[in-house]
Amino acid sequence: MEEGGLHRINITVVISMAAVILCKCQATTNLQPLILVPGSGGNQLEARLTADYKPSSLFCNGWLVPTKKDKNGWFRLWFDVSVLLSPFTKCFAERMMLYFDDDDYHNAPGVETRVPHFGSTQSLLYLDPHLKKITAYMAPLVESLKRIGYTEGKNLFGAPYDFRYGLAARGHPSKVGSKFLDDLKQLIENASSSNGGKPVILLSHSLGGLFILQLLNRNSISWRKKYVKHFIALSAPWGGTVEQMATFASGNTLGVPLVNPLLVRGEQRSSESNLWLLPSPKVFSRKVLVISRNGNYTAHEIAEFLRDIGVPDRIYPYESRILPLVNDFAAPQVPVTCVIGSGVKTPDTLFYGENGFDEQPEIVYGDGDGTVNMISLLALESEWAENRNQSLKVVKVEGVSHTDILKDVSALEKIIGEIYCINSHFSASFLSTTK
């Protein structure tokens, strides 16, 4: 290599390092407000039982709640350690169950639920505040954000929600999901207003990314440009997951030990958001995802799959409310950064044997983050490839799983690095001219 070439490279390195340092200095003194939106199961959920509550067994009737209730009867429904014990698991599942009628979803009769601490990160940190070590969720991420200058309630906010509910295509009621979007929109506007009119950074994990994309696309471009600086999506299942088909077919303990997946399968099948996470035909195309004695199923045969696993009543809400959503990847014309795990064994094809869907499947694995398939994590890359009005950046973190992305040191460094540079006024175009 010529000496002049080496000299130019060294100059570029020095300038790049200086830019990063300046970026960090500017970021810590000029932070954009930031709102965290969790994934499914990523925040606490509280419940209260009324006189209309009709449990299926005397045990569930006698077991009001194993943890302390407040003076108004509210207790933490999710997460509670009692779910680990089989009799309590059944009661828990009954209280988490959703029902569909009058073209919308609602709680089980006699079960009221609420999401605590909307606007705060409090219910996102730990799913059980008494078991911080084993139920930490966004706590490591929040601590990292605080170290670079973010302050709870000042420029750092949280948007927990009832993750059992999803959204519906236009023309269909979605009372709970639509209210969450309204509340999130108001939180965005308030966060911006209380920070001198600065637009916000939206940072989601998993399912939260699907809600944010819908929020952006359901509001005007002028609103987006005014209030949203950047959207960072961690581990977003844009096109759904193969694992979700296993959840519907045979239940999923979500890594919780000792729980029989069949005890929670009914509740999981009732979840509106779980329907939303089934594989998108647009993303997975005609690839066979499930092989069973009943037949083979691609993302185009979800209706047949739901019928054959024994829940034909889910077909109508899936086809009318959900299918238009899972095929909708409209670009919001707001800068988007996807941070994803890769190189982790992820269910790619499910094989069910002679015992049918009451047993766990044999699995052929492919690439992804352990939960979301790579083709789904990268769906926006192909969908927006020709869209010149949409900025998209994808950051891969090798060997980091779907949930570890919130606590792995290397992943947190990349996430915080992206936030630094979004906050900075240092132009990325300047760096490109030095190369």
Side-chain angles (χ1 to χ4, degrees):
M1 179 180 292
E2 295 181 3
E3 183 177 338
L6 180 60
H7 177 71
R8 284 193 295 272
I9 291 174
N10 288 338
I11 290 295
T12 300
V13 171
V14 170
I15 292 175
S16 298
M17 291 177 65
V20 171
I21 293 171
L22 180 58
C23 172
K24 291 184 177 182
C25 291
Q26 288 182 335
T28 56
T29 59
N30 191 33
L31 294 172
Q32 308 289 139
L34 191 149
I35 298 175
L36 298 172
V37 182
S40 181
N43 58 259
Q44 297 170 31
L45 187 64
E46 295 180 344
R48 179 171 65 182
L49 306 179
T50 72
D52 293 327
Y53 175 61
K54 305 296 181 185
S56 62
S57 69
L58 292 176
F59 179 84
C60 290
N61 189 45
W63 175 66
L64 294 179
V65 60
T67 55
K68 186 178 179 180
K69 294 185 290 183
D70 69 15
K71 63 181 180 180
N72 295 314
W74 291 98
F75 60 91
R76 191 174 63 257
L77 178 62
W78 177 263
F79 171 76
D80 190 274
V81 70
S82 66
V83 73
L84 302 178
L85 304 175
S86 183
F88 294 149
T89 303
K90 183 177 180 181
C91 303
F92 160 81
E94 287 183 2
R95 295 166 185 180
M96 288 283 284
M97 189 83 71
L98 293 185
Y99 293 83
F100 181 77
D101 54 45
D102 297 326
D103 204 28
D104 204 358
Y105 283 84
H106 60 83
N107 284 348
V111 179
E112 297 178 354
T113 53
R114 70 180 185 185
V115 178
H117 312 299
F118 183 83
S120 165
T121 66
Q122 185 174 339
S123 74
L124 317 179
L125 303 177
Y126 309 97
L127 302 184
D128 184 338
H130 303 296
L131 298 170
K132 292 183 176 180
K133 288 187 177 180
I134 63 173
T135 68
Y137 180 60
M138 283 192 168
L141 174 60
V142 169
E143 285 305 308
S144 297
L145 290 168
K146 288 181 177 180
R147 282 196 290 270
I148 65 170
Y150 276 98
T151 303
E152 171 75 34
K154 179 182 177 182
N155 53 13
L156 178 62
F157 308 91
Y161 57 99
D162 192 332
F163 45 82
R164 300 171 301 159
Y165 291 87
L167 291 171
R170 298 181 189 277
H172 294 271
S174 182
K175 182 179 179 181
V176 175
S178 295
K179 184 180 186 305
F180 170 62
L181 289 194
D182 291 341
D183 291 343
L184 178 55
K185 180 181 180 181
Q186 189 63 57
L187 179 61
I188 291 169
E189 293 176 0
N190 292 345
S192 174
S193 177
S194 64
N195 282 270
K198 294 177 185 175
V200 308
I201 298 172
L202 296 172
L203 175 57
S204 69
H205 179 240
S206 194
L207 176 66
L210 305 190
F211 275 98
I212 290 179
L213 186 59
Q214 286 292 321
L215 171 72
L216 295 175
N217 285 327
R218 293 183 185 203
N219 284 280
S220 67
I221 293 179
S222 60
W223 183 90
R224 300 174 223 166
K225 298 294 184 183
K226 180 178 180 179
Y227 289 108
V228 180
K229 173 77 171 179
H230 205 105
F231 171 25
I232 303 176
L234 312 180
S235 308
W238 303 116
T241 76
V242 174
E243 182 179 85
Q244 198 63 19
M245 297 187 79
T247 298
F248 271 88
S250 48
N252 190 339
T253 64
L254 303 175
V256 179
L258 307 178
V259 174
N260 181 348
L262 296 182
L263 290 180
V264 294
R265 180 175 64 177
E267 176 266 321
Q268 291 171 335
R269 288 174 169 180
S270 79
S271 167
E272 181 182 21
S273 59
N274 280 348
L275 276 181
W276 197 3
L277 294 172
L278 285 167
S280 162
K282 194 170 186 180
V283 173
F284 284 85
S285 189
R286 295 290 177 179
K287 173 180 167 54
V288 174
L289 307 176
V290 176
I291 297 173
S292 76
R293 64 182 183 182
N294 298 87
N296 300 338
Y297 309 93
T298 72
H300 288 270
E301 283 84 45
I302 295 295
E304 292 83 353
F305 171 74
L306 293 172
R307 180 198 64 216
D308 291 347
I309 64 174
V311 285
D313 56 324
R314 304 295 189 273
I315 296 174
Y316 171 74
Y318 171 76
E319 291 186 332
S320 63
R321 299 164 59 89
I322 303 299
L323 189 56
L325 297 182
V326 302
N327 287 327
D328 178 17
F329 299 103
Q333 298 183 40
V334 167
V336 177
T337 296
C338 297
V339 184
I340 64 173
S342 65
V344 183
K345 290 198 316 181
T346 305
D348 192 64
T349 309
L350 311 175
F351 292 85
Y352 284 92
E354 289 302 312
N355 293 326
F357 299 115
D358 288 337
E359 67 177 7
Q360 293 301 302
E362 294 184 17
I363 301 174
V364 172
Y365 293 94
D367 193 12
D369 67 7
T371 299
V372 185
N373 309 85
M374 186 56 64
I375 194 173
S376 180
L377 292 167
L378 296 178
L380 298 188
E381 219 174 33
S382 56
E383 291 294 327
W384 297 348
E386 305 300 322
N387 193 323
R388 296 183 179 181
N389 295 319
Q390 179 60 54
S391 168
L392 175 65
K393 179 180 181 181
V394 176
V395 179
K396 291 185 180 181
V397 190
E398 181 69 22
V400 174
S401 73
H402 189 72
T403 54
D404 281 353
I405 203 166
L406 295 170
K407 59 186 177 182
D408 178 83
V409 173
S410 61
L412 289 175
E413 286 178 351
K414 290 183 181 295
I415 295 165
I416 297 302
E418 293 300 316
I419 294 171
Y420 267 135
C421 291
I422 292 166
N423 273 297
S424 172
H425 293 301
F426 200 92
S427 174
S429 62
F430 172 78
L431 285 178
S432 67
T433 62
T434 65
K435 293 181 181 179

